[in-house]
Structure formats: C-alpha cells, structure tokens
Amino acid sequence: MKRICLLFSFFICSVEFSLGQIGMGIRAGGVLATMDLRAVEENHIKPSFFFGAYSEINLTEKLIIRPEALYSSKGTRFSNHEIYGDGSINYDYLSVPVLLGYEANERLTLLAGPEVNFLAWYYSRYRGETHTLGNPNRKVDWGFNWGLAYNITPKFGIDVRYAHGFQNYFHFVYFGKDERVHSLRTQGANKVLQVGLTYTFFRKEMK
C-alpha cells in the first residue's frame, strides 16, 4: 500500500509543474457489486461502499487526467434456503483508477480508463458469521471504468461509474442450497456500479 501511495504522489507532483491546472479532492459513495462467476448460480447484487482521494489535472482546455486511490468493497451475494437467508462473498481492494476525461461543458465530464485493484481483505459472511476464504490465486485484479461526473458547485460534485473486471481466479467459501459449506476455485470478474459524491478542496492554476 505504501508503494502505491508513493507512486500516486510522484505522478501528481511530476505533472503539476508541466500542466495548466491541478485539483485535489476526496470521493466516497455507494456500490452495487456482483461477480460473474463460473459454476456459481443465483448471484445477486451486494450493496457496499468506497472512499478515497483523487487528483484532477488539465491536459488541455477539454481533456483531463484523473488518477485516484480508493478503498473499494466488491463481491457478490448469493441465495440460500429461504428460512436461513442469504450469504455474501466480500473482496475489499485498494483500487487505483487512472481515467481520461473529456469536459463536455463546465459542469459535465465524461470519464474512461483502466484500474488496478490490490486485494486487501477477503471473507465470506453467512447468518452473522464470518468465514475466512481460501488463499486467492491472484491478489491483483485489473478492470476498466467508464462513466460521468457532474459539478453541482465548483467544489461539490456527483459521479456515476461502472467498472468491469477482467477474468481472474477466485477461491472462496459459500453455503449451498443443501445448507453445507462449499469451497470452490473458479474464474470470474467483478462488476461494480458506483454512485459517489466528490469534494474538491484544492485547485491551483499553474503558470
């Protein structure tokens, strides 16, 4: 995590002296997450959250680059016996999206770009109990983001974004309809819809 933060800071500092304007802020909001998993039926959306910081750097009058560092909770929810309720699979990541933005006007910006996710914590939850998941094959997950951001005021804004992970290997524990614990290694992909609020606390014009 320290190496990621240092790289993120170095990137911001390196472009600050060469570009016209730089802004920094915080971003947080809600997540609707699921996973496209092979051999697992009845996946459902799992409400979750994210929070973190971002920098917004003007490349031209219309184009910006927006690197972010976020703590993002992903995973999925699965159905079980109606008496016993549902369970969830949870993968928490330190996510680093690097997005290219096009400012359609002074309020609306279109965003798209890749992200890399570093696994921080993973567990399964069922009937109030937390179960440790098996060791994942890969602790780094790649994905792609696209969405839009809308400035309500010069400091406050709202954004909507969809992130789709590339194929990865997952190892997890879940409860099946037979009410037994199952352990499964399978391929899958994270699918996430984010709705967030942004607050830009710093903006500087570079001459």
PDB file of all heavy atoms in Angstrom, residues 146-166:
ATOM      1  N   TRP A 146     -15.847   3.333 -16.871  1.00  0.00           N
ATOM      2  CA  TRP A 146     -16.381   4.431 -17.671  1.00  0.00           C
ATOM      3  C   TRP A 146     -17.608   5.006 -16.964  1.00  0.00           C
ATOM      4  O   TRP A 146     -18.307   4.312 -16.232  1.00  0.00           O
ATOM      5  CB  TRP A 146     -16.708   4.004 -19.100  1.00  0.00           C
ATOM      6  CG  TRP A 146     -17.679   2.881 -19.260  1.00  0.00           C
ATOM      7  CD1 TRP A 146     -19.021   2.961 -19.384  1.00  0.00           C
ATOM      8  CD2 TRP A 146     -17.376   1.487 -19.319  1.00  0.00           C
ATOM      9  NE1 TRP A 146     -19.585   1.721 -19.526  1.00  0.00           N
ATOM     10  CE2 TRP A 146     -18.597   0.801 -19.493  1.00  0.00           C
ATOM     11  CE3 TRP A 146     -16.179   0.752 -19.251  1.00  0.00           C
ATOM     12  CZ2 TRP A 146     -18.656  -0.590 -19.582  1.00  0.00           C
ATOM     13  CZ3 TRP A 146     -16.250  -0.624 -19.347  1.00  0.00           C
ATOM     14  CH2 TRP A 146     -17.472  -1.273 -19.512  1.00  0.00           C
ATOM     15  N   GLY A 147     -17.819   6.316 -17.165  1.00  0.00           N
ATOM     16  CA  GLY A 147     -18.936   6.976 -16.502  1.00  0.00           C
ATOM     17  C   GLY A 147     -18.907   8.469 -16.741  1.00  0.00           C
ATOM     18  O   GLY A 147     -18.311   8.948 -17.716  1.00  0.00           O
ATOM     19  N   LEU A 148     -19.538   9.209 -15.857  1.00  0.00           N
ATOM     20  CA  LEU A 148     -19.582  10.665 -15.992  1.00  0.00           C
ATOM     21  C   LEU A 148     -19.572  11.315 -14.616  1.00  0.00           C
ATOM     22  O   LEU A 148     -19.959  10.716 -13.611  1.00  0.00           O
ATOM     23  CB  LEU A 148     -20.804  11.103 -16.805  1.00  0.00           C
ATOM     24  CG  LEU A 148     -22.193  10.638 -16.354  1.00  0.00           C
ATOM     25  CD1 LEU A 148     -22.775  11.581 -15.316  1.00  0.00           C
ATOM     26  CD2 LEU A 148     -23.128  10.552 -17.555  1.00  0.00           C
ATOM     27  N   ALA A 149     -19.104  12.563 -14.587  1.00  0.00           N
ATOM     28  CA  ALA A 149     -19.060  13.373 -13.370  1.00  0.00           C
ATOM     29  C   ALA A 149     -19.762  14.690 -13.633  1.00  0.00           C
ATOM     30  O   ALA A 149     -19.621  15.276 -14.723  1.00  0.00           O
ATOM     31  CB  ALA A 149     -17.613  13.617 -12.935  1.00  0.00           C
ATOM     32  N   TYR A 150     -20.502  15.166 -12.637  1.00  0.00           N
ATOM     33  CA  TYR A 150     -21.261  16.411 -12.780  1.00  0.00           C
ATOM     34  C   TYR A 150     -20.945  17.325 -11.608  1.00  0.00           C
ATOM     35  O   TYR A 150     -21.090  16.933 -10.443  1.00  0.00           O
ATOM     36  CB  TYR A 150     -22.760  16.121 -12.826  1.00  0.00           C
ATOM     37  CG  TYR A 150     -23.606  17.349 -13.073  1.00  0.00           C
ATOM     38  CD1 TYR A 150     -23.778  17.851 -14.360  1.00  0.00           C
ATOM     39  CD2 TYR A 150     -24.228  18.007 -12.016  1.00  0.00           C
ATOM     40  CE1 TYR A 150     -24.551  18.985 -14.588  1.00  0.00           C
ATOM     41  CE2 TYR A 150     -25.000  19.132 -12.239  1.00  0.00           C
ATOM     42  CZ  TYR A 150     -25.156  19.618 -13.526  1.00  0.00           C
ATOM     43  OH  TYR A 150     -25.917  20.742 -13.742  1.00  0.00           O
ATOM     44  N   ASN A 151     -20.482  18.544 -11.909  1.00  0.00           N
ATOM     45  CA  ASN A 151     -20.151  19.530 -10.877  1.00  0.00           C
ATOM     46  C   ASN A 151     -21.404  20.305 -10.473  1.00  0.00           C
ATOM     47  O   ASN A 151     -21.959  21.066 -11.265  1.00  0.00           O
ATOM     48  CB  ASN A 151     -19.089  20.509 -11.377  1.00  0.00           C
ATOM     49  CG  ASN A 151     -17.760  19.827 -11.623  1.00  0.00           C
ATOM     50  OD1 ASN A 151     -17.380  18.913 -10.886  1.00  0.00           O
ATOM     51  ND2 ASN A 151     -17.046  20.246 -12.653  1.00  0.00           N
ATOM     52  N   ILE A 152     -21.849  20.094  -9.233  1.00  0.00           N
ATOM     53  CA  ILE A 152     -23.001  20.838  -8.713  1.00  0.00           C
ATOM     54  C   ILE A 152     -22.589  22.263  -8.389  1.00  0.00           C
ATOM     55  O   ILE A 152     -23.309  23.223  -8.692  1.00  0.00           O
ATOM     56  CB  ILE A 152     -23.558  20.138  -7.463  1.00  0.00           C
ATOM     57  CG1 ILE A 152     -23.972  18.701  -7.813  1.00  0.00           C
ATOM     58  CG2 ILE A 152     -24.748  20.907  -6.895  1.00  0.00           C
ATOM     59  CD1 ILE A 152     -24.334  17.857  -6.615  1.00  0.00           C
ATOM     60  N   THR A 153     -21.428  22.416  -7.764  1.00  0.00           N
ATOM     61  CA  THR A 153     -20.791  23.708  -7.486  1.00  0.00           C
ATOM     62  C   THR A 153     -19.319  23.554  -7.855  1.00  0.00           C
ATOM     63  O   THR A 153     -18.868  22.455  -8.194  1.00  0.00           O
ATOM     64  CB  THR A 153     -20.927  24.087  -6.004  1.00  0.00           C
ATOM     65  OG1 THR A 153     -20.079  23.233  -5.215  1.00  0.00           O
ATOM     66  CG2 THR A 153     -22.369  23.967  -5.522  1.00  0.00           C
ATOM     67  N   PRO A 154     -18.512  24.646  -7.776  1.00  0.00           N
ATOM     68  CA  PRO A 154     -17.080  24.491  -8.058  1.00  0.00           C
ATOM     69  C   PRO A 154     -16.379  23.483  -7.144  1.00  0.00           C
ATOM     70  O   PRO A 154     -15.331  22.947  -7.506  1.00  0.00           O
ATOM     71  CB  PRO A 154     -16.538  25.901  -7.845  1.00  0.00           C
ATOM     72  CG  PRO A 154     -17.685  26.795  -8.173  1.00  0.00           C
ATOM     73  CD  PRO A 154     -18.886  26.077  -7.651  1.00  0.00           C
ATOM     74  N   LYS A 155     -16.924  23.217  -5.952  1.00  0.00           N
ATOM     75  CA  LYS A 155     -16.284  22.290  -5.018  1.00  0.00           C
ATOM     76  C   LYS A 155     -16.982  20.940  -4.912  1.00  0.00           C
ATOM     77  O   LYS A 155     -16.333  19.911  -4.713  1.00  0.00           O
ATOM     78  CB  LYS A 155     -16.181  22.931  -3.630  1.00  0.00           C
ATOM     79  CG  LYS A 155     -15.144  24.048  -3.528  1.00  0.00           C
ATOM     80  CD  LYS A 155     -15.016  24.520  -2.109  1.00  0.00           C
ATOM     81  CE  LYS A 155     -13.925  25.572  -1.967  1.00  0.00           C
ATOM     82  NZ  LYS A 155     -12.575  24.999  -2.205  1.00  0.00           N
ATOM     83  N   PHE A 156     -18.284  20.915  -5.000  1.00  0.00           N
ATOM     84  CA  PHE A 156     -19.049  19.684  -4.808  1.00  0.00           C
ATOM     85  C   PHE A 156     -19.533  19.120  -6.139  1.00  0.00           C
ATOM     86  O   PHE A 156     -19.924  19.867  -7.039  1.00  0.00           O
ATOM     87  CB  PHE A 156     -20.255  19.938  -3.894  1.00  0.00           C
ATOM     88  CG  PHE A 156     -19.895  20.175  -2.468  1.00  0.00           C
ATOM     89  CD1 PHE A 156     -19.763  21.474  -1.986  1.00  0.00           C
ATOM     90  CD2 PHE A 156     -19.672  19.115  -1.602  1.00  0.00           C
ATOM     91  CE1 PHE A 156     -19.429  21.707  -0.663  1.00  0.00           C
ATOM     92  CE2 PHE A 156     -19.341  19.334  -0.279  1.00  0.00           C
ATOM     93  CZ  PHE A 156     -19.217  20.636   0.199  1.00  0.00           C
ATOM     94  N   GLY A 157     -19.520  17.786  -6.225  1.00  0.00           N
ATOM     95  CA  GLY A 157     -19.974  17.143  -7.440  1.00  0.00           C
ATOM     96  C   GLY A 157     -20.531  15.759  -7.166  1.00  0.00           C
ATOM     97  O   GLY A 157     -20.480  15.244  -6.048  1.00  0.00           O
ATOM     98  N   ILE A 158     -21.070  15.150  -8.198  1.00  0.00           N
ATOM     99  CA  ILE A 158     -21.607  13.786  -8.124  1.00  0.00           C
ATOM    100  C   ILE A 158     -21.121  13.034  -9.353  1.00  0.00           C
ATOM    101  O   ILE A 158     -20.963  13.634 -10.429  1.00  0.00           O
ATOM    102  CB  ILE A 158     -23.152  13.806  -8.045  1.00  0.00           C
ATOM    103  CG1 ILE A 158     -23.692  12.392  -7.826  1.00  0.00           C
ATOM    104  CG2 ILE A 158     -23.765  14.448  -9.280  1.00  0.00           C
ATOM    105  CD1 ILE A 158     -25.181  12.361  -7.508  1.00  0.00           C
ATOM    106  N   ASP A 159     -20.847  11.743  -9.203  1.00  0.00           N
ATOM    107  CA  ASP A 159     -20.450  10.962 -10.367  1.00  0.00           C
ATOM    108  C   ASP A 159     -21.084   9.580 -10.330  1.00  0.00           C
ATOM    109  O   ASP A 159     -21.447   9.063  -9.269  1.00  0.00           O
ATOM    110  CB  ASP A 159     -18.929  10.883 -10.524  1.00  0.00           C
ATOM    111  CG  ASP A 159     -18.233  10.272  -9.321  1.00  0.00           C
ATOM    112  OD1 ASP A 159     -18.854   9.461  -8.619  1.00  0.00           O
ATOM    113  OD2 ASP A 159     -17.059  10.605  -9.078  1.00  0.00           O
ATOM    114  N   VAL A 160     -21.237   9.013 -11.511  1.00  0.00           N
ATOM    115  CA  VAL A 160     -21.774   7.667 -11.685  1.00  0.00           C
ATOM    116  C   VAL A 160     -20.792   6.917 -12.574  1.00  0.00           C
ATOM    117  O   VAL A 160     -20.381   7.427 -13.628  1.00  0.00           O
ATOM    118  CB  VAL A 160     -23.171   7.688 -12.337  1.00  0.00           C
ATOM    119  CG1 VAL A 160     -23.681   6.272 -12.535  1.00  0.00           C
ATOM    120  CG2 VAL A 160     -24.144   8.503 -11.503  1.00  0.00           C
ATOM    121  N   ARG A 161     -20.435   5.703 -12.138  1.00  0.00           N
ATOM    122  CA  ARG A 161     -19.389   4.981 -12.861  1.00  0.00           C
ATOM    123  C   ARG A 161     -19.646   3.474 -12.822  1.00  0.00           C
ATOM    124  O   ARG A 161     -20.131   2.951 -11.827  1.00  0.00           O
ATOM    125  CB  ARG A 161     -18.024   5.284 -12.222  1.00  0.00           C
ATOM    126  CG  ARG A 161     -16.833   4.853 -13.044  1.00  0.00           C
ATOM    127  CD  ARG A 161     -15.548   5.189 -12.327  1.00  0.00           C
ATOM    128  NE  ARG A 161     -15.473   6.598 -12.002  1.00  0.00           N
ATOM    129  CZ  ARG A 161     -14.503   7.120 -11.245  1.00  0.00           C
ATOM    130  NH1 ARG A 161     -13.586   6.341 -10.714  1.00  0.00           N
ATOM    131  NH2 ARG A 161     -14.492   8.412 -11.004  1.00  0.00           N
ATOM    132  N   TYR A 162     -19.306   2.820 -13.932  1.00  0.00           N
ATOM    133  CA  TYR A 162     -19.389   1.366 -13.997  1.00  0.00           C
ATOM    134  C   TYR A 162     -17.982   0.811 -14.202  1.00  0.00           C
ATOM    135  O   TYR A 162     -17.229   1.301 -15.055  1.00  0.00           O
ATOM    136  CB  TYR A 162     -20.293   0.915 -15.139  1.00  0.00           C
ATOM    137  CG  TYR A 162     -20.350  -0.588 -15.299  1.00  0.00           C
ATOM    138  CD1 TYR A 162     -21.083  -1.366 -14.411  1.00  0.00           C
ATOM    139  CD2 TYR A 162     -19.654  -1.222 -16.324  1.00  0.00           C
ATOM    140  CE1 TYR A 162     -21.130  -2.754 -14.541  1.00  0.00           C
ATOM    141  CE2 TYR A 162     -19.705  -2.602 -16.471  1.00  0.00           C
ATOM    142  CZ  TYR A 162     -20.444  -3.355 -15.568  1.00  0.00           C
ATOM    143  OH  TYR A 162     -20.481  -4.709 -15.694  1.00  0.00           O
ATOM    144  N   ALA A 163     -17.627  -0.196 -13.404  1.00  0.00           N
ATOM    145  CA  ALA A 163     -16.316  -0.832 -13.509  1.00  0.00           C
ATOM    146  C   ALA A 163     -16.513  -2.322 -13.750  1.00  0.00           C
ATOM    147  O   ALA A 163     -17.262  -2.981 -13.028  1.00  0.00           O
ATOM    148  CB  ALA A 163     -15.499  -0.607 -12.243  1.00  0.00           C
ATOM    149  N   HIS A 164     -15.818  -2.844 -14.746  1.00  0.00           N
ATOM    150  CA  HIS A 164     -15.900  -4.274 -15.076  1.00  0.00           C
ATOM    151  C   HIS A 164     -14.492  -4.857 -15.011  1.00  0.00           C
ATOM    152  O   HIS A 164     -13.587  -4.402 -15.706  1.00  0.00           O
ATOM    153  CB  HIS A 164     -16.477  -4.463 -16.473  1.00  0.00           C
ATOM    154  CG  HIS A 164     -16.992  -5.860 -16.709  1.00  0.00           C
ATOM    155  ND1 HIS A 164     -16.173  -6.971 -16.680  1.00  0.00           N
ATOM    156  CD2 HIS A 164     -18.246  -6.330 -16.956  1.00  0.00           C
ATOM    157  CE1 HIS A 164     -16.886  -8.055 -16.908  1.00  0.00           C
ATOM    158  NE2 HIS A 164     -18.149  -7.703 -17.077  1.00  0.00           N
ATOM    159  N   GLY A 165     -14.318  -5.868 -14.151  1.00  0.00           N
ATOM    160  CA  GLY A 165     -13.020  -6.503 -14.024  1.00  0.00           C
ATOM    161  C   GLY A 165     -12.755  -7.483 -15.150  1.00  0.00           C
ATOM    162  O   GLY A 165     -13.685  -8.020 -15.770  1.00  0.00           O
ATOM    163  N   PHE A 166     -11.474  -7.717 -15.407  1.00  0.00           N
ATOM    164  CA  PHE A 166     -11.098  -8.753 -16.356  1.00  0.00           C
ATOM    165  C   PHE A 166     -11.179 -10.112 -15.657  1.00  0.00           C
ATOM    166  O   PHE A 166     -11.317 -10.192 -14.448  1.00  0.00           O
ATOM    167  CB  PHE A 166      -9.688  -8.494 -16.892  1.00  0.00           C
ATOM    168  CG  PHE A 166      -9.560  -7.175 -17.599  1.00  0.00           C
ATOM    169  CD1 PHE A 166      -8.420  -6.404 -17.448  1.00  0.00           C
ATOM    170  CD2 PHE A 166     -10.577  -6.693 -18.406  1.00  0.00           C
ATOM    171  CE1 PHE A 166      -8.289  -5.179 -18.094  1.00  0.00           C
ATOM    172  CE2 PHE A 166     -10.465  -5.476 -19.059  1.00  0.00           C
ATOM    173  CZ  PHE A 166      -9.321  -4.718 -18.901  1.00  0.00           C
TER     174      PHE A 166
END
